[in-house]
Amino acid sequence: MAATALSACGSDDGPPTLNWYVNPDGVDTLTALAKSCSTDQYKIAIQLLPSGATDQRTQLARRLAAKDSSTDLMSLDPVFVAEFANANWLEQLPDDVAAKATDDDVLSGAAETVTWDDGVYAFPQWANTQVLWYRKSLAEAAGLDMSQPVTWDQVIDAAADNGGTVGVQANKYEAYVVWINALIQGAGGDIISDNEAGKDAKIDIDSDAGKDAAAVIQKLADSKAAQPDLTTSNEGTSLGQMYAGAGEFMTNWTFVYQNYKGLVDSGDITQDDFSDLGWARYPATVEGEDSRPPIGGIDIGVGAYSKHPDYALEAAACVTSSEAQVDLAVNEGLMPSRTSAYQDPKLTEAYPADLLQLFSQSVEDGGPRPKSAYYATISAAVQSVWHSPTSVNPDTTPEKSAKFLRDVLDGKALL
Amino acid sequence: MTTLAEAPQRRQEREVHVSDRAKAETRLGQRLVAPAIILMLVVTAFPMLRALYLSLFNYSLTAPEDRDFVGLSNYLTALTDPLFWKTTGVTVLYMVVTVSIELVIGFAFAMVMHRVIFARGVIRTSILIPYGIITVVSGFAWQFAFSFQNGFINNWLPFIDSDFNWFGQTTPAVIAICVSEIWKTTPFMSLLLLAGLAQVSEDMIEAAKVDGATWWQRLWRVILPNMRAAIMVAVLFRALDAYRIFDNIFVMTAGAVNTESISFLTYRQTIEQFQLGIGSALSVLLFLSVLVIAGLIVKVFRVDLAAARQEG
């Protein structure tokens, strides 16, 4: 009797189930993908992670630190791939699989996020990037030629002189570091370099590029174009300002297009309003230098303690295929990391051609956040000194930030 | 003098006359509890020793190969960092404010529960309900209550603007956290004090009444002095609990606007930053400070714990 009960609970009967921990973006399509990528040999089951990137990382890390064998596949924010790989929590992709996961079809910004220490540790699934969203009428009133690259200075002045605002993400959280990193990279610098040296990495934030970045933040914070909730702003708070008054220029992720399109369907904005929405490449920090748009998205990693790593690698390849990426983009607005997916008729029907071109170009030219086993520490240390944006000063903030970052990495300061 | 000199002698005599059966029973008792004691030591001592060991390293979970032995450097870092002292100050503030208020309200509740003659069960149950609610749930409930968007607190307080954000600045945020903490744990305090009240002899109170003592005099001269051990236990338990405050802060402010406690700082270093070395050092410091607080409270109340258990 007991033996029967026990065998009923076991998973020895039938094919094994692979657990795929996903973040709650596009769950419907991910569930369909899990089903369609299941085979006679294994089933894929979806497990939901919390909504915040930090909480997702914590939950996965707690499982993997305990050598959890039921974590087979996981959706990872690109900045955590290096951390997890360095901790030996991710299965390194065999050379042949790695070659396919990062072949020439993958946009270079996305491909760069899955490598660590000369190895490939994940499959790029979807690629997020930021562009400059704006109200065409506002840019027109300011006499700004949006067909040419614009700088942060131009955008802030244009908004301030014409009753508009500039929407950014400047709450004390990860997205603020996304902004700071993009500003520094746009000026030709880095937060850190020689990343693979771990805590002995070179700290570069106190540089001309760091000062240029701080100058942009200071300018916006002191400008009439700053939104009232600048110090607590996030991806969602600035959305509402696009159609308020003269409108805004806003740096934000790719989901914005589908978001406003949905508002037309629900009757919250008119088709004319929607037609007034413009998009352009991420603004340049320094005139004449190319901007480095932020890179986000999701990479799929295979747990190092999985009981079925071969099946998990096969499943990961399936859920990141070009077809899977098209489904995610069309249904959920999560943009592909493969060039071929951008040419798929289903996608070209769903998005304007120039927007798709802008997205893929931005991912191609994007600047990733520092890849480091200490990324979470670096990010928190930067936030700690650069927040609030109203206190940022080019003469002092980068210097203070570099010193604090060094002390934190050396274990000489609490964070 | 004579009494003092005699006392040890009498005790010695008692020890001499312990029967073989009593000795055998004591031995049996020791053998019976030994497995539990060993298990408890393994369960509690292992993590404590492990934390002590880890605290000697600069060690991040995501960089296992970079682990460095740094000796007591993590302790030095913590003890010389202004952030550590700032969070310690905030934690002591939480502890002093909540325990003081809970002691007063808890005693009033204990008196009500002790003296009430009608609907005793209902009244006692309703006073104890908040303690039965999970702290995270009560934290969310109070967060909603204090919210300027959908809470009721701003509407109930006439001197507060309806759009006042309690979680935007340190002082109001600390007040909101304290209110939630007090609401949640006052019943525990009153339960411990009720047990103390029940031990105060009614005869003594009656005698004081006959001698003409007023209610106030009976409270201060008879009831409270006879409850000293119970009050100490209540204050001790709650103070140690309050010093480790975490859940309410986690839910209500997530440590923003300088509301972070020492437990929260330890959590951030260990769980969020994966810095096991400095995180362990902080937990050892937290453990030591809890010991110091416990020692101070026992000293202040001058209660002989053995006497309180009637073993002396």
Side-chain angles (χ1 to χ4, degrees):
Chain A
M1 177 96 172
T4 323
L6 279 176
S7 67
C9 293
S11 56
D12 290 342
D13 300 338
T17 300
L18 305 178
N19 287 307
W20 177 15
Y21 284 87
V22 301
N23 57 321
D25 286 325
V27 174
D28 290 345
T29 305
L30 294 176
T31 310
L33 271 179
K35 204 172 167 194
S36 65
C37 285
S38 293
T39 66
D40 293 342
Q41 290 162 309
Y42 56 84
K43 303 273 171 240
I44 306 172
I46 294 274
Q47 310 290 346
L48 268 192
L49 289 169
S51 53
T54 310
D55 296 334
Q56 289 164 13
R57 164 181 167 273
T58 308
Q59 190 175 124
L60 286 172
R62 284 164 75 175
R63 285 181 172 278
L64 294 164
K67 300 187 173 16
D68 174 34
S69 63
S70 71
T71 307
D72 301 297
L73 297 161
M74 65 199 99
S75 296
L76 283 170
D77 192 298
V79 284
F80 304 137
V81 172
E83 268 192 317
F84 279 38
N86 198 68
N88 303 319
W89 292 339
L90 292 179
E91 187 80 18
Q92 184 174 351
L93 272 50
D95 290 345
D96 54 330
V97 181
K100 277 187 211 156
T102 55
D103 60 22
D104 290 345
D105 190 32
V106 179
L107 296 165
S108 59
E112 208 178 315
T113 64
V114 294
T115 58
W116 173 250
D117 209 7
D118 299 331
V120 175
Y121 287 87
F123 299 73
Q125 189 190 39
W126 58 272
N128 213 347
T129 187
Q130 290 203 355
V131 301
L132 178 67
W133 303 94
Y134 63 96
R135 191 89 180 260
K136 287 178 191 164
S137 52
L138 175 62
E140 217 166 279
L144 218 51
D145 177 10
M146 297 304 288
S147 63
Q148 298 300 314
V150 288
T151 63
W152 278 98
D153 275 351
Q154 286 173 317
V155 166
I156 295 167
D157 289 340
D161 297 345
N162 293 279
T165 57
V166 177
V168 291
Q169 293 83 46
N171 198 357
K172 194 177 178 184
Y173 76 137
E174 181 57 29
Y176 187 37
V177 182
V178 168
W179 186 31
I180 296 167
N181 183 62
L183 288 172
I184 294 176
Q185 291 201 325
D190 274 307
I191 292 178
I192 60 165
S193 59
D194 192 15
N195 306 4
E196 285 170 9
K199 63 185 173 215
D200 298 323
K202 196 164 161 279
I203 292 166
D204 298 333
I205 198 165
D206 183 19
S207 59
D208 287 344
K211 290 187 174 81
D212 289 338
V216 170
I217 296 175
Q218 187 188 43
K219 176 165 178 157
L220 178 61
D222 292 345
S223 155
K224 278 193 293 180
Q227 294 177 351
D229 61 349
L230 174 71
T231 56
T232 55
S233 56
N234 60 40
E235 283 91 343
T237 56
S238 45
L239 285 175
Q241 302 299 313
M242 186 59 75
Y243 297 104
E248 66 173 340
F249 292 91
M250 166 178 70
T251 50
N252 212 331
W253 302 98
T254 58
F255 77 98
V256 169
Y257 181 81
Q258 293 284 18
N259 177 79
Y260 288 132
K261 202 173 176 191
L263 291 184
V264 179
D265 298 339
S266 65
D268 290 317
I269 60 171
T270 63
Q271 184 60 45
D272 283 349
D273 287 336
F274 186 60
S275 307
D276 200 22
L277 179 71
W279 42 83
R281 188 185 168 112
Y282 198 82
T285 313
V286 182
E287 193 164 7
E289 277 211 43
D290 282 346
S291 64
R292 302 289 306 276
I295 294 282
I298 285 294
D299 297 330
I300 306 292
V302 170
Y305 309 105
S306 166
K307 281 183 197 153
H308 311 284
D310 293 341
Y311 289 161
L313 284 169
E314 199 180 305
C318 178
V319 299
T320 55
S321 68
S322 195
E323 301 79 55
Q325 295 192 7
V326 171
D327 287 348
L328 276 169
V330 174
N331 302 339
E332 314 287 352
L334 309 172
M335 289 298 128
S337 56
R338 287 189 165 274
T339 317
S340 54
Y342 282 89
Q343 273 116 44
D344 191 282
K346 280 197 272 182
L347 198 57
T348 49
E349 247 172 60
Y351 289 90
D354 62 333
L355 183 58
L356 283 181
Q357 167 63 25
L358 177 63
F359 285 158
S360 61
Q361 193 62 49
S362 295
V363 180
E364 188 71 21
D365 300 345
R369 282 160 277 169
K371 277 202 285 183
S372 163
Y374 292 86
Y375 180 73
T377 306
I378 293 166
S379 170
V382 170
Q383 290 170 38
S384 174
V385 177
W386 288 65
H387 201 267
S388 100
T390 49
S391 67
V392 168
N393 181 338
D395 297 330
T396 55
T397 308
E399 189 187 348
K400 205 173 145 196
S401 178
K403 189 179 173 308
F404 184 59
L405 195 44
R406 183 74 277 156
D407 284 348
V408 167
L409 288 174
D410 288 348
K412 288 185 181 141
L414 287 175
L415 188 52
Chain B
M1 279 299 279
T2 326
T3 329
L4 280 175
E6 272 175 13
Q9 202 183 350
R10 228 182 279 143
R11 197 175 296 149
Q12 213 172 15
E13 276 167 23
R14 258 208 317 267
E15 278 169 17
V16 171
H17 292 297
V18 173
S19 67
D20 287 347
R21 182 183 166 163
K23 279 184 197 162
E25 278 181 357
T26 309
R27 274 200 301 275
L28 177 67
Q30 284 167 350
R31 276 203 297 272
L32 287 174
V33 297
I37 289 179
I38 291 168
L39 188 71
M40 208 173 76
L41 279 179
V42 170
V43 171
T44 58
F46 174 72
M48 277 157 68
L49 292 175
R50 173 105 180 129
L52 207 58
Y53 171 73
L54 284 174
S55 70
L56 305 176
F57 291 87
N58 183 0
Y59 175 27
S60 168
L61 200 58
T62 51
E65 279 140 34
D66 288 357
R67 191 162 101 158
D68 284 338
F69 179 81
V70 290
L72 296 176
S73 164
N74 284 331
Y75 292 95
L76 193 69
T77 300
L79 292 171
T80 52
D81 199 300
L83 184 63
F84 175 79
W85 294 108
K86 195 166 80 180
T87 47
T88 303
V90 173
T91 313
V92 170
L93 183 74
Y94 284 128
M95 182 180 74
V96 171
V97 171
T98 58
V99 174
S100 320
I101 296 175
E102 283 175 26
L103 186 62
V104 176
I105 304 176
F107 188 73
F109 280 170
M111 292 286 268
V112 170
M113 289 197 280
H114 188 57
R115 295 281 173 217
V116 71
I117 44 176
F118 65 95
R120 179 178 265 219
V122 174
I123 290 176
R124 284 190 173 186
T125 310
S126 28
I127 287 178
L128 294 176
I129 280 175
Y131 193 60
I133 293 173
I134 299 160
T135 315
V136 172
V137 175
S138 89
F140 273 116
W142 280 102
Q143 190 197 31
F144 285 129
F146 277 101
S147 158
F148 69 94
Q149 282 147 330
N150 44 22
F152 58 82
I153 302 277
N154 285 359
N155 297 335
W156 280 15
L157 299 176
F159 50 89
I160 296 280
D161 286 341
S162 62
D163 59 353
F164 179 71
N165 181 6
W166 285 83
F167 303 110
Q169 294 158 49
T170 307
T171 310
V174 167
I175 292 173
I177 291 168
C178 285
V179 168
S180 173
E181 187 76 2
I182 291 166
W183 180 82
K184 170 76 178 52
T185 44
T186 300
F188 177 63
M189 186 74 115
S190 58
L191 205 60
L192 293 175
L193 294 175
L194 177 65
L197 262 183
Q199 281 178 349
V200 179
S201 157
E202 283 297 324
D203 294 347
M204 273 196 292
I205 300 172
E206 280 303 314
K209 216 185 253 181
V210 170
D211 284 347
T214 61
W215 182 86
W216 195 248
Q217 284 169 327
R218 291 201 300 276
L219 178 69
W220 281 99
R221 301 282 169 83
V222 182
I223 300 176
L224 289 180
N226 280 293
M227 282 178 67
R228 208 166 69 187
I231 294 174
M232 189 215 66
V233 169
V235 169
L236 181 69
F237 279 23
R238 267 305 299 141
L240 299 187
D241 209 21
Y243 195 76
R244 295 180 289 112
I245 181 171
F246 176 81
D247 321 35
N248 271 319
I249 301 171
F250 187 84
V251 171
M252 295 172 87
T253 61
V257 290
N258 299 321
T259 54
E260 193 168 77
S261 69
I262 199 83
S263 297
F264 201 94
L265 180 68
T266 310
Y267 162 82
R268 276 205 309 106
Q269 301 296 323
T270 319
I271 308 291
E272 276 186 13
Q273 301 297 331
F274 300 153
Q275 299 292 345
L276 300 191
I278 194 102
S280 300
L282 285 170
S283 23
V284 171
L285 290 173
L286 179 64
F287 173 71
L288 292 178
S289 41
V290 163
L291 280 186
V292 169
I293 292 168
L296 276 177
I297 291 174
V298 171
K299 213 174 167 69
V300 164
F301 278 87
R302 283 169 299 164
V303 171
D304 177 359
L305 281 176
R309 291 175 59 189
Q310 296 173 340
E311 286 172 357

